[in-house]
Amino acid sequence: DGEVYKYYCEGEWRKSASGKSVAIINPTTRKTQYKVQACTQEEVNKVMEIAKAAQKSWAKTPLWKRAELLHKAAAILKEHKAPIAECLVKEIAKPAKDAVTEVVRSGDLVSYTAEEGVRILGEGKFLVSDSFPGNERTKYCLTSKIPLGVILAIPPFNYPVNLAVSKIAPALIAGNSLVLKPPTQGAVAALHMVHCFHLAGFPKGLISCVTGKGSEIGDFLTMHPGVNCISFTGGDTGVAISKKAGMVPLQMELGGKDACIVLEDADLDLAAGNIVKGGFSYSGQRCTAVKVVLVMESVADTLVEKVNAKVAKLTVGPPEDDCDITPVVSESSANFIEGLVMDAKEKDATFCQPYKREGNLIWPLLLDNVRPDMRIAWEEPFGPVLPVIRINSVEEGIHHCNASNFGLQGCVFTKDINKAILISDAMETGTVQINSAPARGPDHFPFQGIKDSGIGSQGITNSINMMTKVKTTVINLP
Ligand code: G3H
């Protein structure tokens, strides 16, 4: 029957009292690869209770000691990169090299967070009262940043390790405790990552990791009165969570329909390279993937030709072979992508490559002459299918970009920097990249979406600040 991976509570690995497990299906073989515990609501209650208690003493632990433990965890994480990457290959079909990169990047993120935390949390403000009208200099105000309490972290399947530590490390350095609910696909990689924190020697109960079905413990976790902050990355579920969550700060990174605007004067080789990398890396399963190309008609033929030449070179196959295009995460995801492709077919989009699918593996596909009445013009496939819309003016491109419900990132290719900045100002997205594909990293850059793409801003510094509250003490002089 195979081993069922235990969940992490009170510094121990435990079996759930439910006696049930959740299967993790390998996207490539479509067979059960691993099993994790199906935790119960009582177990969630227990984890919350312990997290609350552990946080109190952790908040009193000197900042430099918290940083030291995080540095230790980062080093252990990097030492464990091979087995964790192996899980990413099996659970989410991430290409072998990218899987290793995810773990190494995560170690770096944890170390950077420790350093940044020491700097920004080691500083406060000092204000005097007589700068505000009517006041004498009789009040001194001291500010510092204090932790929020228990942080609930819910990362997505596409970065189960990196988008977990991007929540865990800022939470911990700021003096919070943390409860992690990993995605089912990627749960074993996440448990292994948690084990690295365990080995580093964090106090018992400070970090917990509960696994299980979203339908059983999802709402229970997000609506739990013990939670003081939710940091979530994922899809539509985030919108539902933000409607149900109580009066707690929310950090939400949700979907995107990142546009790539290509102007007439663009370096078309540079644009084509970035479109292929941005659109097809990890088979398009990134919130920051290029999800629609908006190209000026006069250069469209040349651009499409250059993109197609690069698409032809993409390798397609199993993640173990480090192929560029690997199976998408689930059968339902593949079916959804296929639905978008069929809709575009019925409405006469130009297929630059034949549509081909085997199981969850979908061959890379560029769809040219996409029009706004096609679903793929607006919806995110989260797969290796990229629509091209030909535009006759920059305004038309900006209009399409801003008509989207999403507003994560976007990019513009042009040699005219003034034009690029004007376009960036006009695009209603959290970030605009000039002459490069959208991307979250480097991980200390602010990362945020507007509209349905999210709430708040991430990036190491912003996450630390978001997971703290300002506390002031006012000294009143006689
Ligand atoms: O899927 C969403 C991630 O935050 C994107 O991160 O730009 O590093 O791939 P990335």
Side-chain angles (χ1 to χ4, degrees):
D1 201 23
E3 184 191 357
V4 181
Y5 284 86
K6 292 174 181 154
Y7 77 103
Y8 189 63
C9 173
E10 235 175 341
E12 287 174 8
W13 296 97
R14 291 187 180 164
K15 278 188 183 169
S16 168
S18 72
K20 291 187 199 149
S21 64
V22 182
I24 298 168
I25 311 293
N26 180 324
T28 312
T29 63
R30 293 190 290 157
K31 296 205 171 88
T32 299
Q33 182 74 39
Y34 305 118
K35 286 178 190 171
V36 290
Q37 306 291 325
C39 290
T40 63
Q41 298 188 348
E42 290 72 42
E43 283 156 351
V44 168
N45 281 335
K46 181 75 184 160
V47 153
M48 289 296 170
E49 188 190 313
I50 293 164
K52 189 174 179 179
Q55 191 267 327
K56 301 282 177 221
S57 46
W58 179 244
K60 294 196 180 84
T61 304
L63 191 46
W64 68 265
K65 273 198 188 169
R66 289 186 229 153
E68 204 172 69
L69 280 172
L70 282 171
H71 281 301
K72 212 167 157 191
I76 298 171
L77 196 55
K78 285 189 180 182
E79 279 164 26
H80 288 228
K81 67 180 181 209
I84 297 177
E86 167 83 11
C87 295
L88 294 173
V89 168
K90 301 290 183 208
E91 291 183 276
I92 61 164
K94 185 163 277 198
K97 277 190 193 144
D98 291 352
V100 174
T101 304
E102 173 171 349
V103 185
V104 174
R105 172 183 179 181
S106 300
D108 291 337
L109 189 155
V110 174
S111 291
Y112 191 104
T113 307
E115 288 170 25
E116 183 73 346
V118 167
R119 281 185 217 117
I120 65 173
L121 299 169
E123 270 181 9
K125 263 190 183 172
F126 173 63
L127 290 88
V128 289
S129 49
D130 63 339
S131 57
F132 197 86
N135 282 274
E136 297 299 319
R137 202 181 182 91
T138 53
K139 290 174 189 286
Y140 291 165
C141 179
L142 306 172
T143 76
S144 62
K145 283 176 184 150
I146 57 165
L148 297 175
V150 179
I151 312 282
L152 173 63
I154 309 182
F157 82 82
N158 62 350
Y159 286 96
V161 174
N162 186 261
L163 282 169
V165 299
S166 73
K167 304 172 191 313
I168 297 171
L172 296 184
I173 193 68
N176 299 287
S177 58
L178 190 120
V179 174
L180 174 69
K181 162 63 180 78
T184 295
Q185 305 284 140
V188 177
L191 289 168
H192 199 137
M193 174 273 297
V194 168
H195 188 58
C196 298
F197 282 78
H198 171 82
L199 293 174
F202 282 89
K204 278 187 182 159
L206 188 69
I207 307 168
S208 312
C209 182
V210 286
T211 52
K213 285 216 168 83
S215 56
E216 274 170 43
I217 56 167
D219 279 355
F220 193 75
L221 272 163
T222 54
M223 294 165 79
H224 200 284
V227 170
N228 302 115
C229 166
I230 303 173
S231 179
F232 174 92
T233 307
D236 294 346
T237 318
V239 178
I241 291 175
S242 58
K243 285 181 183 148
K244 289 183 211 159
M247 224 176 78
V248 296
L250 300 177
Q251 187 181 44
M252 296 272 161
E253 188 218 320
L254 311 179
K257 185 71 184 173
D258 293 7
C260 172
I261 301 182
V262 183
L263 302 192
E264 279 147 329
D265 71 338
D267 175 337
L268 295 181
D269 288 307
L270 179 74
N274 276 276
I275 288 167
V276 172
K277 187 167 154 270
F280 295 104
S281 56
Y282 189 36
S283 307
Q285 297 174 110
R286 294 164 56 237
C287 56
T288 47
V290 169
K291 298 209 177 92
V292 58
V293 177
L294 301 164
V295 57
M296 292 294 283
E297 179 69 61
S298 61
V299 291
D301 284 344
T302 317
L303 181 77
V304 166
E305 201 177 294
K306 286 178 189 290
V307 171
N308 280 334
K310 289 182 193 293
V311 168
K313 289 193 184 131
L314 294 173
T315 54
V316 182
E320 287 83 354
D321 295 353
D322 203 39
C323 290
D324 299 312
I325 304 295
T326 55
V328 296
V329 70
S330 64
E331 193 176 336
S332 63
S333 176
N335 292 343
F336 176 78
I337 297 162
E338 184 163 300
L340 293 179
V341 171
M342 292 310 143
D343 174 78
K345 190 174 187 177
E346 274 164 32
K347 293 170 185 161
D348 287 331
T350 307
F351 279 53
C352 297
Q353 295 78 23
Y355 174 67
K356 188 173 169 194
R357 170 181 171 187
E358 272 172 23
N360 296 347
L361 186 61
I362 294 175
W363 270 250
L365 174 59
L366 191 75
L367 296 173
D368 196 1
N369 296 305
V370 165
R371 289 187 323 267
D373 65 325
M374 300 177 193
R375 285 176 59 202
I376 197 136
W378 307 103
E379 295 178 44
E380 50 170 355
F382 236 66
V385 180
L386 181 59
V388 177
I389 298 181
R390 294 167 175 240
I391 53 172
N392 290 303
S393 68
V394 174
E395 290 67 31
E396 203 183 321
I398 292 170
H399 180 265
H400 185 90
C401 168
N402 292 350
S404 170
N405 291 335
F406 294 116
L408 190 59
Q409 294 206 357
C411 61
V412 52
F413 285 85
T414 172
K415 289 183 187 128
D416 184 338
I417 190 70
N418 294 340
K419 229 184 225 176
I421 291 184
L422 289 174
I423 292 170
S424 169
D425 286 349
M427 283 169 88
E428 292 165 4
T429 61
T431 300
V432 174
Q433 304 267 352
I434 297 172
N435 291 327
S436 189
R440 172 167 49 112
D443 290 335
H444 65 306
F445 280 14
F447 181 50
Q448 56 282 317
I450 59 173
K451 296 190 266 186
D452 285 352
S453 289
I455 301 175
S457 179
Q458 298 178 83
I460 290 171
T461 315
N462 286 344
S463 292
I464 296 173
N465 284 327
M466 187 269 161
M467 292 175 184
T468 60
K469 250 191 153 152
V470 174
K471 164 85 185 239
T472 57
T473 301
V474 181
I475 303 167
N476 289 274
L477 302 174

